[in-house]
Amino acid sequence: MKAYSPPTAPAGQGARSYQVRTHGCQMNVHDSERISGVLEDAGYVRATDGADADLVVFNTCAVRENADNKLYGNLSHLAPIKQQRPDMQIAVGGCLAQKDRGAVVDKAPWVDVVFGTHNLGSLPVLLERARHNAAAEVEILDSLKEFPSTLPARRESSYAGWVSVSVGCNNTCTFCIVPALRGKEVDRRPGDVLAEVQALVDEGVLEVTLLGQNVNAYGMSFVDPALGRQRSAFADLLRTAGDIDGLERLRFTSPHPAEFTTDVIDAMAETPAVCPQLHMPLQSGSDRVLRSMRRSYRRTRFLSILDEVRDRIPDAAISTDIIVGFPGETEEDFAQTLDMVATARFASAFTFQYSPRPGTPAATMGDQVPKEVVTERYLRLTALQDEICLQENRRTVGNRVELLVTADSGRKSAETRRRTGRARDGRLVHFTAGDAESIRAGDVIETVVTGAAPHHLIADDGVLSHRRTRAGDASAAGRTAQTPPIGVGLGMPAMGVPAVADAPGATAGGSCGGGCGS
């Protein structure tokens, strides 16, 4: 990829500084890493904490109703700063920008650039154009211009990394606006995915999470038509990525119950690097509501998946998503959701109060549930799930756990003198260590669980073992993983790519040489 020319700066000043503010899902977090990479490739530098940035980028979410209020409230706070510092620039990208388009500038005329989910790489050029023309630039594409993986990335972590296997979604859930904003599903070539995992491991990263709006549908919509449809592609990808030397933990999110197959469960159970963790979105425990949501599975099918996973991976921690108050949800429907939660015994759950999103079928449905009813049901659900979380976490007391130490230096940690790590099953564990200063984020320790709360575990009997890692070295030095552009543009196979690079069983080392764009 050809680098952009560094942006101009006022006379006597160095490179322009930037700050990216991210809202929304893991996909947005990963997109922000690409936005940062593109900006730094163009000569920008990240603003230090507490400093006023020359450029503020909002990477937005549009899934929930308060996303609009949050964005425009934040933009209002920047308006007087922009007035005092006219050379400052403000850019709005992501799903809300894709949805609102030019309306962003109409509501906040001090915004300089609006860009969508399909053209992250255009941001530096749009900023330069807006500065040169002294006018707002709005560029929203209706289809993907390039995979985000073909852009450079400034990773946020030295020990964990995101890797997208696809973009977009082919489902038609009536509550979801994502397909309208991110488009139909397009799957990356297996060789490109493996090359990116290998690139992260080469940087010392120990844990990788594979991302997709419907990650287990991978293989149905390859960008390269020569690959055809491969129903076992995701299971094959898990096995091959899990075999990469140096990768200790492999996760993925989020699958769809309707397409979750036994071969994926087998790959999880038989690949040591794949973590015993599964996020399986339920949304509702009522078959009638699931039908109205256009979720193509029912209670029986969902519970059979959980049974099969727990049979093959007995210590698996299963989490979920649940929406409360979907249009037409009755008290009986909600009771079925409570019953489902009690039966499934999720390790954790992301619970949401339904909010209508313009452009989705559910927003125009009759029988919208009154807000006070939704809130009351939500509180009952969270109370039940919190009790289940606590019971499930208490079952782990006395267990020896391996933790990947995280970069948690919050106020609570300082008060308790505990550090934080993530267990292989995804649970957060706050631990004490006699020589805590020698343990760096990115190191691996073993300890014993001594206590439990609904949303975390406690390990206060000290550290049994401590392994220093390359990720810990990088973290101590203040370095995060940096990966180059990987892959090719849509429908544009690279010259000289070996045929083996596209096979799900290809080695990552072999695919990196032919799959990396330039």
Side-chain angles (χ1 to χ4, degrees):
M1 170 176 287
K2 183 179 179 181
Y4 295 103
S5 300
T8 57
Q13 295 186 16
R16 292 175 63 81
S17 62
Y18 76 92
Q19 177 189 81
V20 180
R21 302 184 187 181
T22 309
H23 306 283
C25 65
Q26 298 98 327
M27 195 72 72
N28 268 26
V29 173
H30 184 42
D31 281 351
S32 288
E33 293 181 329
R34 299 293 178 184
I35 291 170
S36 295
V38 167
L39 290 172
E40 293 190 8
D41 198 45
Y44 290 79
V45 295
R46 176 168 290 196
T48 57
D49 291 342
D52 293 328
D54 299 312
L55 165 65
V56 178
V57 183
F58 291 92
N59 188 14
T60 63
C61 173
V63 171
R64 303 185 71 184
E65 187 175 22
N66 66 358
D68 303 62
N69 297 334
K70 193 168 190 177
L71 170 66
Y72 292 111
N74 286 331
L75 290 176
S76 295
H77 292 152
L78 287 181
I81 301 175
K82 172 81 169 179
Q83 193 170 27
Q84 296 169 9
R85 298 172 52 214
D87 189 55
M88 172 194 181
Q89 288 189 294
I90 302 170
V92 177
C95 289
L96 192 59
Q98 187 80 20
K99 176 177 76 72
D100 284 3
R101 300 178 177 245
V104 175
V105 177
D106 293 338
K107 295 179 180 179
W110 53 94
V111 169
D112 297 277
V113 170
V114 180
F115 64 106
T117 59
H118 300 314
N119 60 328
L120 305 182
S122 301
L123 179 56
V125 170
L126 295 172
L127 290 166
E128 279 296 294
R129 195 181 298 159
R131 186 181 296 112
H132 180 272
N133 296 336
E137 290 289 330
V138 178
E139 182 180 279
I140 305 293
L141 303 183
D142 290 323
S143 60
L144 195 65
K145 181 178 180 181
E146 57 199 346
F147 276 120
S149 60
T150 63
L151 304 172
R154 188 201 194 275
R155 305 284 179 164
E156 293 297 321
S157 172
S158 58
Y159 50 85
W162 310 100
V163 174
S164 292
V165 304
S166 63
V167 294
C169 181
N170 290 337
N171 291 317
T172 58
C173 302
T174 55
F175 57 81
C176 185
I177 198 170
V178 168
L181 303 180
R182 290 192 177 266
K184 291 291 186 181
E185 180 179 331
V186 183
D187 299 334
R188 295 175 66 193
R189 302 183 309 171
D192 292 343
V193 175
L194 295 172
E196 187 172 348
V197 175
Q198 182 70 63
L200 285 168
V201 172
D202 290 344
E203 289 275 309
V205 166
L206 301 178
E207 176 178 300
V208 166
T209 301
L210 304 179
L211 289 178
Q213 301 294 158
N214 182 8
V215 69
N216 57 312
Y218 179 77
M220 297 297 101
S221 308
F222 280 124
V223 63
D224 185 348
L227 292 176
R229 294 168 65 89
Q230 300 177 18
R231 294 194 176 276
S232 65
F234 187 64
D236 293 341
L237 188 67
L238 284 178
R239 293 180 186 275
T240 309
D243 285 341
I244 292 176
D245 188 33
L247 179 64
E248 298 189 14
R249 298 181 174 196
L250 181 63
R251 307 184 193 274
F252 61 90
T253 194
S254 289
H256 191 291
E259 296 168 309
F260 199 74
T261 51
T262 296
D263 62 339
V264 173
I265 298 172
D266 290 340
M268 294 174 64
E270 296 165 7
T271 309
V274 178
C275 293
Q277 176 191 14
L278 177 64
H279 185 73
M280 184 62 65
L282 170 62
Q283 308 303 1
S284 174
S286 162
D287 285 350
R288 193 186 70 81
V289 173
L290 289 172
R291 191 174 299 109
S292 183
M293 289 178 168
R294 290 187 197 156
R295 301 286 288 179
S296 48
Y297 56 87
R298 300 295 176 258
R299 288 170 55 99
T300 302
R301 167 61 180 154
F302 189 93
L303 289 173
S304 71
I305 293 173
L306 269 54
D307 289 342
E308 188 175 1
V309 170
R310 286 169 172 154
D311 180 62
R312 296 284 279 123
I313 314 168
D315 57 346
I318 302 175
S319 57
T320 196
D321 295 332
I322 300 174
I323 297 172
V324 178
F326 186 79
E329 180 188 75
T330 64
E331 182 61 29
E332 181 181 354
D333 293 323
F334 180 66
Q336 291 175 17
T337 294
L338 293 178
D339 177 71
M340 189 74 161
V341 168
T343 302
R345 300 195 66 80
F346 299 109
S348 63
F350 298 92
T351 52
F352 306 93
Q353 298 184 48
Y354 172 77
S355 59
R357 304 308 294 135
T360 63
T364 60
M365 289 180 177
D367 298 326
Q368 297 284 327
V369 182
K371 176 65 176 175
E372 62 273 16
V373 175
V374 177
T375 300
E376 189 273 337
R377 289 176 183 171
Y378 175 81
L379 292 175
R380 275 193 282 159
L381 173 63
T382 54
L384 172 63
Q385 182 57 49
D386 282 352
E387 179 58 30
I388 292 172
C389 288
L390 179 59
Q391 293 171 4
E392 293 300 303
N393 283 350
R394 282 174 174 164
R395 292 175 55 193
T396 70
V397 172
N399 290 355
R400 183 167 176 155
V401 291
E402 177 196 86
L403 306 182
L404 177 57
V405 181
T406 61
D408 179 4
S409 56
R411 182 167 57 89
K412 187 173 182 179
S413 296
E415 291 173 353
T416 61
R417 301 184 65 82
R418 292 187 179 116
R419 301 289 302 280
T420 299
R422 190 172 293 278
R424 291 187 61 83
D425 66 4
R427 287 181 168 95
L428 284 177
V429 182
H430 302 308
F431 66 93
T432 57
D435 188 16
E437 297 301 320
S438 68
I439 300 175
R440 298 90 48 89
D443 284 350
V444 177
I445 69 154
E446 287 186 309
T447 186
V448 173
V449 179
T450 59
H455 306 298
H456 65 267
L457 304 176
I458 298 294
D460 276 345
D461 281 353
V463 171
L464 300 176
S465 68
H466 170 209
R467 174 160 53 89
R468 297 171 72 86
T469 66
R470 289 176 57 211
D473 295 341
S475 178
R479 299 193 310 270
T480 60
Q482 305 296 305
T483 53
I486 291 176
V488 295
L490 298 179
M492 296 164 47
M495 297 295 292
V497 176
V500 70
D502 287 325
T507 62
S511 49
C512 189
C516 296
S518 58

